[in-house]
Amino acid sequence: MKSIIRARDKGVKFEVHWSAEDQLIEPNGSMLASYIGFLVRQHIPITCDNWRSPDLKVGKEKIWSEIQRSFHIDESRQKYCIQLAGKRLRGFRSFLSNKFLKDEEGKFVEAERPMKYAEIISADEWDNFVAKRRNEKFHEVSDKNWKRASKPAYPYKKGRTRYARLQQRILAEEKSDATSLPEHVLWKAARVGKDGAVVEAVQNVYDECETLSQTLPSTEVQDCRSVLSRVLNVPEYSGRVRGKGFGVTPSSFYKKPKTKNPTNKEVMETFAELRAQVLQLQNENARYREERCASEAKDTSDRASINYQPKFPEGISPCQLYLSSPTYRIVGKGKVHNTSGELLHHNPLPVGYMKVSVDLVLDKDALLPLPDVVSETTIDFDEGVFGAAHFEIIAKEDMQQLFEHDELGIAVIHTYIWYMYVTLMRGTELCNRFNFIAASRINATLITKNPTSVKNDLVDRFMAADNNTTPSLYFLPFNSGNGGHWVLVAMDLSRLIVYYLDSLSGDWNKYPSMKKTVDA
């Protein structure tokens, strides 16, 4: 570490940079990590078995003061650096054992003190170190760990480039505005060889993570057992986030916004609101029971198994849609409309029901508990729009999505494309330059459930174009499946380039199913 010593003698300190997840990154990240390894060998004996021992306090303080002499670093980073020092000490001890005390088969042998490290390892320390490794219990643990580490199921292939710097490099190469990669994306990248090949086992884990991440509710993902841990089916060690590397803990990675304690006035106001809501619910429940008893008709449909619970706030709120027959399962995501005087297709809702708009279908074969037979507006699409003739039904709530500046459903998106085609493109040269792909056939949910069918639909759409023309761009409104967010994808087949327009910041890693399907 001569460069650090020379700079220190000149009064120069190096700047230290940290990732969004509070990990050391470049520039100077690897330099500081190496320097910490140098310092721990200077100030902590290799005979140390307990990093939390009070006897090491002086040595740890010396390590921290030496770091501050050469690097601009905040006091809040002391814990990270000392923990990294402990990791470096364990690594050095393992290196000494494997290099000088073991043969090629991992068996312990007699060895003299390595003179290369004579300045930092005394003869007594070496003898003590060797004696501990002759212990039978130590041999049992060592053999077990050696066997486990010698044949990893998914070997790490990035050498000394650890997760934090690997993530930094990937984001820089992609020129991304994102600050982090999903755990399973980074985990896979760390297991790609120099030839760029990905072994089948690693790819299978990645694919399963993709599928699982799209089906789990967001609140369920945010726990100490990540999607990657679930797919690998391994226990998660305390204080560790698999696939993120040193320094990232569950508490910091899945951090929740801090909230201040309410004042007494706020507590009383909330209590009064809750009391009023309880009284309202009691009145509604009593009225509902009276009307139900007065009714002679008995409902035997699927909706009899789904209980109405008026717990939604007033207005329009996001919701998940479940059915209990034939099995309890989530079938879609949408919004519940809890507003007074709400109508469904100009008809009042039955007592005990609320109107729900469906934004994302997870089970396209699920039966609606309350069928609607009121007529809607039907728009016929000729095959020039999406390559195959079909129709769209436009209802009142679809129009409200526009009027209320709400998230748009597929029907609205398709109708807008139809209008552009009819008014601007039909019968013109533009039909040879632009084509559209139906969002109802290519979306995150269908990709997860039946990727082969989705790929076939894409190929059929491409082949539907006239043989004598090559459209410049195919436009696909892609639904990410995450709250109904839309991304516009444009595919240039002649140059094999794909563009996408996203109103939210970030990169394609937020939509892995989109990229995977388009690549295929």
Side-chain angles (χ1 to χ4, degrees), residues 310-482:
K311 295 182 179 179
F312 293 99
E314 292 186 4
I316 301 177
S317 307
C319 66
Q320 295 180 341
L321 310 176
Y322 288 82
L323 287 181
S324 59
S325 175
T327 59
Y328 185 79
R329 68 204 188 279
I330 183 173
V331 297
K333 297 181 180 181
K335 299 180 183 67
V336 61
H337 300 248
N338 183 18
T339 56
S340 60
E342 187 68 64
L343 301 177
L344 181 63
H345 304 322
H346 309 290
N347 289 342
L349 291 172
V351 176
Y353 287 90
M354 290 184 182
K355 187 178 75 172
V356 172
S357 58
V358 181
D359 298 328
L360 179 63
V361 176
L362 301 178
D363 184 353
K364 64 183 180 65
D365 297 323
L367 299 178
L368 287 175
L370 183 62
D372 176 43
V373 295
V374 181
S375 60
E376 301 98 347
T377 301
T378 302
I379 299 178
D380 291 318
F381 286 60
D382 60 51
E383 62 179 332
V385 183
F386 291 123
H390 78 291
F391 65 89
E392 291 283 353
I393 296 177
I394 302 298
K396 177 186 175 183
E397 56 263 32
D398 297 317
M399 303 303 297
Q400 286 181 324
Q401 292 172 4
L402 292 175
F403 300 149
E404 298 175 2
H405 299 278
D406 209 342
E407 292 180 346
L408 302 181
I410 287 179
V412 176
I413 299 289
H414 280 185
T415 302
Y416 180 63
I417 292 175
W418 167 82
Y419 179 77
M420 287 194 298
Y421 175 82
V422 171
T423 58
L424 301 176
M425 297 177 59
R426 180 187 285 165
T428 71
E429 188 269 339
L430 290 177
C431 290
N432 296 330
R433 296 176 55 193
F434 307 110
N435 271 311
F436 297 97
I437 300 173
S440 57
R441 301 300 305 155
I442 314 293
N443 54 61
T445 301
L446 292 178
I447 290 171
T448 301
K449 294 183 63 176
N450 196 343
T452 302
S453 174
V454 172
K455 294 172 187 175
N456 291 338
D457 285 343
L458 268 180
V459 174
D460 291 342
R461 181 65 184 110
F462 297 151
M463 298 300 291
D466 191 294
N467 292 332
N468 296 325
T469 61
T470 302
S472 297
L473 292 174
Y474 280 83
F475 289 107
L476 165 64
F478 181 83
N479 193 290
S480 65
N482 183 17

Side-chain angles (χ1 to χ4, degrees), residues 280-299:
Q280 181 182 358
L281 293 177
Q282 289 174 341
N283 294 333
E284 291 179 356
N285 187 45
R287 184 173 66 253
Y288 170 68
R289 290 179 179 274
E290 291 176 359
E291 293 175 351
R292 183 177 181 184
C293 293
S295 175
E296 297 179 358
K298 293 184 178 181
D299 188 359

Side-chain angles (χ1 to χ4, degrees), residues 123-334:
D124 290 340
E125 286 178 345
W126 179 255
D127 292 340
N128 192 351
F129 179 74
V130 173
K132 289 183 177 181
R133 271 141 186 79
R134 290 176 179 170
N135 184 279
E136 184 175 345
K137 291 184 178 181
F138 181 86
H139 280 211
E140 294 177 359
V141 175
S142 178
D143 291 341
K144 181 179 179 181
N145 291 337
W146 183 82
K147 292 177 181 178
R148 176 178 57 83
S150 61
K151 295 181 180 180
Y154 311 99
Y156 190 93
K157 296 186 177 182
K158 296 304 177 183
R160 297 186 64 184
T161 303
R162 309 315 295 175
Y163 280 112
R165 283 181 282 142
L166 175 61
Q167 176 175 266
Q168 182 187 19
R169 188 178 69 192
I170 294 174
L171 294 176
E173 291 174 352
E174 297 290 341
K175 297 181 180 179
S176 171
D177 294 331
T179 58
S180 178
L181 295 173
E183 302 98 301
H184 64 280
V185 174
L186 189 57
W187 180 87
K188 174 187 173 183
R191 283 150 183 84
V192 176
K194 293 182 179 179
D195 57 356
V198 181
V199 298
E200 184 178 1
V202 171
Q203 185 63 45
N204 290 340
V205 171
Y206 174 83
D207 292 341
E208 289 185 40
C209 288
E210 288 288 288
T211 301
L212 183 59
S213 63
Q214 304 230 6
T215 57
L216 281 177
S218 58
T219 54
E220 189 173 342
V221 175
Q222 302 299 322
D223 61 17
C224 61
R225 196 157 184 254
S226 64
V227 169
L228 179 59
S229 297
R230 299 182 191 207
V231 172
L232 292 174
N233 194 25
V234 292
E236 195 60 272
Y237 297 100
S238 176
R240 167 182 178 179
V241 177
R242 188 175 297 274
K244 279 298 181 179
F246 176 79
V248 180
T249 62
S251 59
S252 64
F253 189 66
Y254 302 117
K255 49 191 172 187
K256 299 179 181 179
K258 296 181 179 179
T259 58
K260 64 176 183 178
N261 293 328
T263 63
N264 291 338
K265 181 181 179 181
E266 291 172 337
V267 171
M268 296 306 296
E269 290 175 350
T270 302
F271 177 75
E273 292 176 359
L274 291 175
R275 186 175 182 181
Q277 291 177 14
V278 170
L279 292 175
Q280 181 182 358
L281 293 177
Q282 289 174 341
N283 294 333
E284 291 179 356
N285 187 45
R287 184 173 66 253
Y288 170 68
R289 290 179 179 274
E290 291 176 359
E291 293 175 351
R292 183 177 181 184
C293 293
S295 175
E296 297 179 358
K298 293 184 178 181
D299 188 359
T300 58
S301 66
D302 281 348
R303 69 175 182 267
S305 64
I306 300 178
N307 297 322
Y308 166 68
Q309 296 179 340
K311 295 182 179 179
F312 293 99
E314 292 186 4
I316 301 177
S317 307
C319 66
Q320 295 180 341
L321 310 176
Y322 288 82
L323 287 181
S324 59
S325 175
T327 59
Y328 185 79
R329 68 204 188 279
I330 183 173
V331 297
K333 297 181 180 181

Side-chain angles (χ1 to χ4, degrees), residues 1 3-4 12-18 23-36 70-73 84 165 168:
M1 311 303 300
S3 60
I4 296 179
V12 176
K13 288 187 177 183
F14 295 95
E15 296 291 338
V16 181
H17 297 264
W18 304 84
Q23 294 174 290
L24 272 176
I25 56 175
E26 302 303 334
N28 302 328
S30 56
M31 177 190 293
L32 175 55
S34 298
Y35 188 52
I36 290 175
S70 299
F71 293 86
H72 288 290
I73 189 166
L84 181 56
R165 283 181 282 142
Q168 182 187 19

Side-chain angles (χ1 to χ4, degrees), residues 53-70:
S53 172
D55 297 336
L56 302 182
K57 180 179 179 181
V58 175
K60 291 178 180 179
E61 292 176 348
K62 184 64 175 178
I63 292 173
W64 178 239
S65 64
E66 288 295 313
I67 292 174
Q68 291 181 305
R69 289 180 64 191
S70 299

Side-chain angles (χ1 to χ4, degrees), residues 62-100:
K62 184 64 175 178
I63 292 173
W64 178 239
S65 64
E66 288 295 313
I67 292 174
Q68 291 181 305
R69 289 180 64 191
S70 299
F71 293 86
H72 288 290
I73 189 166
D74 190 79
E75 289 288 343
S76 61
R77 306 293 185 180
Q78 181 177 4
K79 180 179 178 181
Y80 178 98
C81 292
I82 297 303
Q83 288 179 338
L84 181 56
K87 181 181 179 182
R88 288 288 184 265
L89 177 63
R90 293 191 296 272
F92 182 55
R93 284 150 51 94
S94 297
F95 164 76
L96 293 175
S97 295
N98 296 329
K99 179 72 173 179
F100 302 103

